Amino acid sequence: MGEHKESLRKIITTLALKNDEIQNFICCLKQSLQNLEANSTRVQEDLESEFSSLQSVLDELKDGMVTRIKQERASRTYELQNQLSACTKALESSEELLELANQTVCSSETDGFTQAAKDIKDSVTMAPAFRLSLKAKVNDNMNHMMVDFTQEREMLQAIKFLPVPPTPEILASECQVCDNTVAVMWALPEPDSKIDHYILEHRRTNHEGPPRAREDYPWMVVEGIRETEHTLTGLRFDTRYMNFRVKACNKAVAGEFSEPVTLETHAFTFKLDAGSCHQNLRVEDLSVEWDSSGGKIQEMRKDKNRTNSPMHSPARSAMMSPKRAPSARVGRDRFTAESYTVLGDSMIDAGQQYWEVSLDKESKAFAAGVALRSLGRFDQLGKSNASWCIHLNNWLQQSLTAKHNNKARALDCPIPDRVGVYCNYEEGTLSFYNARSKLLIHTFRTKFQQPVIPAFMVWNGTFTVHTGLQVPSIVQSGQKRNSGTSSSNASLT
């Protein structure tokens, strides 16, 4: 009976996963149909617009050339008309002189003949007919206005749809994820000299498989990439994975997106447990401020935070180890008295984890470190065997100390405004760094018997926690060098 139930449960799980996969594929198909309709309409409108634009260019060119022909015809007509008018007048004058000369020759009168002949000679000399050019100023040939559109017609007939750039392929094995940066590499199936740039899109997700049609996070776009690689820097890894896809673009059109690639972006992510913090601490997301007026507002939010805390969301429950506790202090009251403490909501029970905290160096007191879940509500960080921390004191004189089990060691180093905390659970190592320079401040070496939780304290000041950070490479290399060696930063045990 038990074996059959177990087998049936496996079948149910398999069917549920398959149904979810099919449902996701159905959503993708529906989205593809919508995209197809929209894209077809868009390219048809673009085509009509291009042909309209081309026709406008041809019409404009035609109008310009017709205007030039008309101008040329008008100019030549004017010249020929003027020349014709001048010749007509000259001909009329010449005919009059010819008639007068004939009359004079035929006249029988001798008186005045000599003078008349002389006058006719002078008139002929000055006659317009002898001053005219009998060559047309312009010709009637208009061959220079002829056109031959054979080449252009062939070009128009050769018009085709633009060649689409080939689809790149992301080289998953060559992509690198470290130090909260992701280096993405890709390649084309064949060289294409017309590629102008690439567009890379990335999206956060908690699902390991191919991208889903419905995701909690949008695609982020990086445009204008000229090479076949790109590095994203300054990322906060608050999800387990990231999806990546890329497409090539030439001067006119973009190609298809590559097959998406999913890369793991594991980092330590946690929230602050506002439900158990001291009532004089005002917790807003990952920022904490000392509030001398007390915790009336916090008490009003207490029940809401316990029911609507981000630790209960599906996205956060899907995160890998470190394990997220249902509550950092189940069934316990707030920290009270002078224990101005707030804990993280995630336990560290394996692996190497790293987070940072920005502090106000003018705070009267500040501490950061880790604590066991058994830390008492009256316990101050570093004053019992359940917590390890570095402590900043500005009460009488400024000092920075490492504290554990009510023992303190003065630290001779500049006080940073941002501290990095590194925890290696298996090796029992807890190190503090200047987060800006990555210089080591102090290292505790112990053996954790229970899971530990990020812990913070502030009095008359503020601080902000930064999570979703991977262990920096320089910290990892430094830990390897110092592993198993003794130093001035020995444990306070």
Side-chain angles (χ1 to χ4, degrees):
M1 182 70 177
E3 293 181 359
H4 291 298
K5 280 190 175 182
E6 184 63 26
S7 178
L8 189 57
R9 287 193 188 97
K10 291 182 179 179
I11 292 174
I12 290 172
T13 301
T14 302
L15 287 174
L17 291 174
K18 178 56 69 175
N19 289 348
D20 185 62
E21 184 179 349
I22 294 174
Q23 183 63 39
N24 182 52
F25 184 62
I26 289 174
C27 291
C28 291
L29 290 177
K30 289 181 178 179
Q31 186 65 48
S32 295
L33 285 172
Q34 294 177 3
N35 293 344
L36 177 61
E37 184 67 24
N39 292 336
S40 299
T41 301
R42 175 179 56 81
V43 296
Q44 183 174 340
E45 291 175 350
D46 289 346
L47 181 65
E48 292 175 353
S49 175
E50 287 295 328
F51 270 98
S52 296
S53 176
L54 182 59
Q55 186 62 50
S56 297
V57 171
L58 291 174
D59 289 341
E60 183 179 350
L61 184 61
K62 175 185 175 183
D63 292 342
M65 297 179 77
V66 168
T67 299
R68 286 184 58 193
I69 291 175
K70 290 180 178 180
Q71 290 174 344
E72 184 72 12
R73 181 180 65 186
S75 175
R76 294 192 182 195
T77 299
Y78 176 78
E79 292 292 341
L80 292 175
Q81 288 285 7
N82 286 342
Q83 198 171 11
L84 177 62
S85 176
C87 288
T88 301
K89 291 179 180 179
L91 179 60
E92 291 175 352
S93 176
S94 180
E95 287 178 345
E96 291 177 356
L97 284 174
L98 177 60
E99 184 178 355
L100 179 60
N102 286 331
Q103 291 176 356
T104 302
V105 169
C106 295
S107 175
S108 58
E109 297 180 2
T110 57
D111 294 338
F113 178 82
T114 303
Q115 183 61 40
K118 184 176 180 301
D119 291 340
I120 291 172
K121 181 179 179 182
D122 291 340
S123 297
V124 169
T125 303
M126 299 298 296
F130 291 96
R131 288 181 290 134
L132 283 175
S133 171
L134 298 183
K135 181 179 179 181
K137 291 184 177 181
V138 294
N139 60 49
D140 57 358
N141 189 341
M142 294 290 286
N143 288 342
H144 67 290
M145 292 291 186
M146 296 292 289
V147 295
D148 180 7
F149 288 151
T150 301
Q151 184 177 357
E152 288 77 4
R153 189 177 296 108
E154 290 176 353
M155 291 177 62
L156 289 174
Q157 290 173 345
I159 289 178
K160 299 177 181 178
F161 291 108
L162 286 171
V164 178
T167 303
E169 178 185 0
I170 295 180
L171 308 175
S173 61
E174 297 185 22
C175 296
Q176 296 182 352
V177 181
C178 65
D179 292 337
N180 285 86
T181 66
V182 179
V184 187
M185 314 285 183
W186 60 87
L188 293 172
E190 67 271 346
D192 188 339
S193 60
K194 295 183 179 180
I195 297 298
D196 180 68
H197 65 277
Y198 298 90
I199 296 176
L200 175 68
E201 293 190 352
H202 58 93
R203 178 172 64 180
R204 295 177 293 163
T205 181
N206 282 308
H207 302 282
E208 182 176 6
R212 301 158 63 89
R214 298 175 183 174
E215 281 284 1
D216 296 331
Y217 303 98
W219 286 103
M220 307 302 291
V221 182
V222 183
E223 297 182 320
I225 302 172
R226 302 294 179 180
E227 305 296 333
T228 56
E229 61 181 76
H230 185 74
T231 301
L232 298 168
T233 62
L235 300 174
R236 178 174 180 262
F237 294 155
D238 55 359
T239 57
R240 291 177 59 186
Y241 305 97
M242 288 183 69
N243 301 139
F244 296 89
R245 63 184 186 183
V246 66
K247 63 181 177 181
C249 306
N250 56 31
K251 291 290 187 181
V253 67
E256 295 293 328
F257 273 112
S258 65
E259 284 295 321
V261 167
T262 301
L263 301 178
E264 184 176 5
T265 54
H266 175 65
F268 186 38
T269 304
F270 62 89
K271 293 289 186 180
L272 296 177
D273 184 11
S276 66
C277 72
H278 194 284
Q279 64 179 3
N280 284 106
L281 300 183
R282 186 192 309 158
V283 178
E284 296 289 344
D285 193 18
L286 290 172
S287 296
V288 177
E289 181 179 4
W290 164 267
D291 184 4
S292 60
S293 64
K296 293 182 179 180
I297 296 178
Q298 290 281 22
E299 290 296 336
M300 294 173 62
R301 295 177 179 172
K302 183 174 181 180
D303 293 335
K304 181 179 179 180
N305 285 336
R306 286 181 175 173
T307 57
N308 297 332
S309 171
M311 71 182 71
H312 299 290
S313 67
R316 296 188 65 80
S317 63
M319 294 293 288
M320 294 175 60
S321 181
K323 296 179 181 178
R324 195 162 311 278
S327 174
R329 297 170 56 82
V330 177
R332 299 293 298 273
D333 294 330
R334 289 181 178 276
F335 288 99
T336 188
E338 295 183 356
S339 180
Y340 305 115
T341 303
V342 58
L343 301 177
D345 67 349
S346 297
M347 298 182 298
I348 301 174
D349 60 0
Q352 304 176 59
Q353 314 302 338
Y354 180 84
W355 62 97
E356 295 180 355
V357 54
S358 299
L359 61 130
D360 177 8
K361 293 197 290 185
E362 300 303 319
S363 301
K364 291 297 182 183
F366 167 81
V370 298
L372 304 179
R373 287 185 296 171
S374 59
L375 184 69
R377 61 192 294 254
F378 295 97
D379 291 344
Q380 299 179 39
L381 292 185
K383 290 194 173 184
S384 72
N385 62 359
S387 61
W388 299 257
C389 71
I390 59 170
H391 184 275
L392 169 66
N393 185 9
N394 277 320
W395 180 237
L396 296 177
Q397 62 180 5
Q398 192 175 68
S399 64
L400 185 65
T401 56
K403 289 187 174 184
H404 171 64
N405 203 18
N406 209 24
K407 296 180 182 179
R409 169 174 292 169
L411 302 176
D412 184 17
C413 66
I415 296 174
D417 61 353
R418 183 160 171 156
V419 175
V421 184
Y422 166 83
C423 180
N424 187 323
Y425 186 83
E426 284 81 5
E427 294 188 5
T429 301
L430 179 67
S431 296
F432 298 87
Y433 291 84
N434 182 321
R436 309 285 185 191
S437 62
K438 298 300 185 290
L439 291 176
L440 180 64
I441 297 174
H442 183 77
T443 294
F444 290 102
R445 299 194 189 280
T446 184
K447 185 175 182 180
F448 298 121
Q449 302 294 337
Q450 304 175 34
V452 293
I453 304 170
F456 310 90
M457 182 279 293
V458 69
W459 177 46
N460 282 342
T462 62
F463 68 86
T464 300
V465 180
H466 307 277
T467 69
L469 304 178
Q470 296 183 307
V471 180
S473 299
I474 189 171
V475 170
Q476 285 186 327
S477 60
Q479 288 292 327
K480 289 179 180 179
R481 287 196 304 269
N482 297 329
S483 178
T485 62
S486 60
S487 68
S488 60
N489 293 326
S491 303
L492 296 176
T493 54

